[in-house]
Amino acid sequence: MKVMKVDAVVAGAGIWGCTVARRLAEAGRHVLVLEKRPVVGGNVRCEVDAETGIEVHTYGSHIFHTHIPAVWDFVNRFVTFNGYQHKVLTNYKGRIYHLPLGLTLINKFFDVELKPGEVKGFLEVKGRSEKLFDAFFRGYTCKQWGKSPEEIDPSIIKRVPVRSNYDTNYFTDTNQGIPLSGYNSLFDRMLDHPNIVVRCSAALRFEDGALKCGGDELPSVPVYYSGPIDALFDYRFGHLPWRTLNFEMEKLNVCDYQGTSVVNYAEAEVPYTRIHEFKHYHPEDAAVMNAPHTVIMREYPAAWKPGDEPYYPIDTAESRSLLDRYREELAKVNKSMKSGNGVRIVCGGRLGGYRYNDMDKSVEAALKVEL
Ligand SMILES: Cc1cc2nc3c(=O)[nH]c(=O)nc-3n(C[C@H](O)[C@H](O)[C@H](O)COP(=O)(O)OP(=O)(O)OC[C@H]3O[C@@H](n4cnc5c(N)ncnc54)[C@H](O)[C@@H]3O)c2cc1C
């Protein structure tokens, strides 16, 4: 390992780890960032397709959206956003509808012309909400989670939000967009600081009571870890369960395949949940938008097994209790370390916290981490 002064180690260079690393560096600490993958950015990482120049979101579409001023200010220090406004369309039996459930979808689906004040009463008529739910949520949820909606939460049908207007903007946050210079530049710029050294293809391990990377034992400094919490303890109590996704990418010699960035496929019979078409995330880039080719990606949810990419944590009583055991273990380790040399492991991010967080919530959490 390159000899350098290290005051803190950040293991995992996703958006959580990069935010923590930047804060540490700006607080004057010398930070060693370890990233298991060959590149930084975690699941927000993109690849620019060399042939078409299209920014492909390797781990599925990522749209930055937030109403948290501190988060928006922080990310805008590094990149400028293009103002892209996300819309999601859904294909049900070959017809295309605008999500979320609002006047555009409801009027088309029932072939009516409801006004805002009429939506509630219309959906209270027996069978109508169920019909909507069965068309747009039942099949999709079954594919997404491998379970029927009632198995996940019996009250789910009553809780699907309905808008009584024509607003088809998917998110209600005040700020939204995609970095003009691409997502990777966000991470490169966050880590571009004289106090930060980055090592990729370098995984942190906790072995025999010591933190290691490759053959090296790490210096006794605070560690900010955003890998899976169960992996840190070599899965000694078992694996926390996840859903995974498989992506199938295709390049097509057409300018525009589906006319928008994401189309969901609502029916259970269609094996994928959505098709992403990435060029639509950069409407400001005329060269990409007008080029006679496009890149699409089909997304297939699947059962997870150890070794697969973890995407969505599965919230059950068993998984919560397993998570508690790992948290207790972490507390024990931190207690023993603290009594020695003041070192501690802070476990965070989506893998370390075993929770789904949008990017803004990940940044918010990282901005609040005690340094
Ligand atoms: C399909 C999908 C779509 C999403 N779309 C959106 C969206 O549109 N908008 C939005 O705001 N959010 C979205 N999200 C959420 C977003 O992906 C997360 O908020 C974000 O990735 C969390 O960042 P993180 O740093 O916690 O985790 P990650 O991005 O997973 O980063 C963790 C990093 O730690 C590394 N690592 C693991 N173990 C070790 C180790 N032992 N040592 C060193 N490094 C290690 C990993 O390789 C990884 O790079 C989406 C999530 C999914 C699953």
Side-chain angles (χ1 to χ4, degrees), residues 137-243:
F137 291 93
R138 182 169 299 285
Y140 192 90
T141 307
C142 287
K143 289 191 282 188
Q144 178 81 345
W145 294 103
K147 288 180 183 170
S148 75
E150 289 82 357
E151 278 177 275
I152 299 167
D153 176 356
S155 67
I156 197 166
I157 299 181
K158 295 199 185 90
R159 289 194 291 103
V160 173
V162 176
R163 287 183 192 169
S164 53
N165 57 32
Y166 284 102
D167 181 7
T168 54
N169 208 333
Y170 196 68
F171 301 117
T172 52
D173 292 310
T174 38
N175 300 298
Q176 203 178 141
I178 307 286
L180 276 169
S181 46
Y183 274 108
N184 296 350
S185 65
L186 170 64
F187 300 105
D188 292 343
R189 291 174 196 174
M190 281 165 96
L191 296 174
D192 182 15
H193 189 285
N195 287 353
I196 298 179
V197 170
V198 181
R199 283 181 66 198
C200 287
S201 305
L204 176 99
R205 291 188 332 277
F206 183 55
E207 217 174 75
D208 306 327
L211 288 162
K212 296 182 182 173
C213 178
D216 302 317
E217 191 160 325
L218 292 172
S220 295
V221 295
V223 172
Y224 301 84
Y225 170 79
S226 56
I229 187 167
D230 51 358
L232 190 63
F233 298 103
D234 203 20
Y235 310 101
R236 69 178 65 152
F237 307 126
H239 286 84
L240 285 162
W242 295 85
R243 284 291 280 175

Side-chain angles (χ1 to χ4, degrees), residues 110 123-134 157:
F110 289 104
L123 291 179
E124 274 164 8
V125 173
K126 197 171 176 331
R128 284 188 181 150
S129 296
E130 288 77 2
K131 200 172 168 196
L132 263 186
F133 186 87
D134 288 348
I157 299 181

Side-chain angles (χ1 to χ4, degrees), residues 15 21 24 32 74 101 112-113 115 130 134-135 152 185 195 248 250 255 266 280 312 314 327 329 335 341 354 366:
I15 202 161
L24 286 162
L32 173 64
F74 181 76
L101 292 187
V112 290
E113 289 299 337
K115 293 195 169 53
E130 288 77 2
D134 288 348
I152 299 167
S185 65
N195 287 353
E248 184 186 83
E250 200 179 343
C255 175
H280 293 287
Y312 295 106
I314 298 180
R327 284 187 176 152
E329 203 61 13
K335 206 168 163 207
N341 49 20
Y354 189 63

Side-chain angles (χ1 to χ4, degrees), residues 42-64:
N43 275 16
V44 189
R45 181 81 196 176
C46 292
E47 296 304 329
V48 176
D49 177 63
E51 217 178 315
T52 61
I54 294 170
E55 182 187 33
V56 174
H57 299 203
T58 314
Y59 301 92
S61 284
H62 277 76
I63 301 96
F64 202 97

Side-chain angles (χ1 to χ4, degrees), residues 11-17 34-37 39 41-44 59-65 171 202-205 225-228 245 247 274 299 311-312 348-351 356-360 362:
I15 202 161
W16 185 90
L34 302 174
E35 169 50 53
K36 187 177 171 183
R37 292 180 182 160
V39 283
N43 275 16
V44 189
Y59 301 92
S61 284
H62 277 76
I63 301 96
F64 202 97
H65 56 98
F171 301 117
L204 176 99
R205 291 188 332 277
Y225 170 79
S226 56
L245 298 172
F247 294 107
R274 17 185 211 170
E299 178 175 324
Y311 282 94
Y312 295 106
R350 66 181 199 98
L351 300 166
Y356 178 89
N357 260 351
D358 274 332
M359 288 182 275
D360 65 329
S362 307

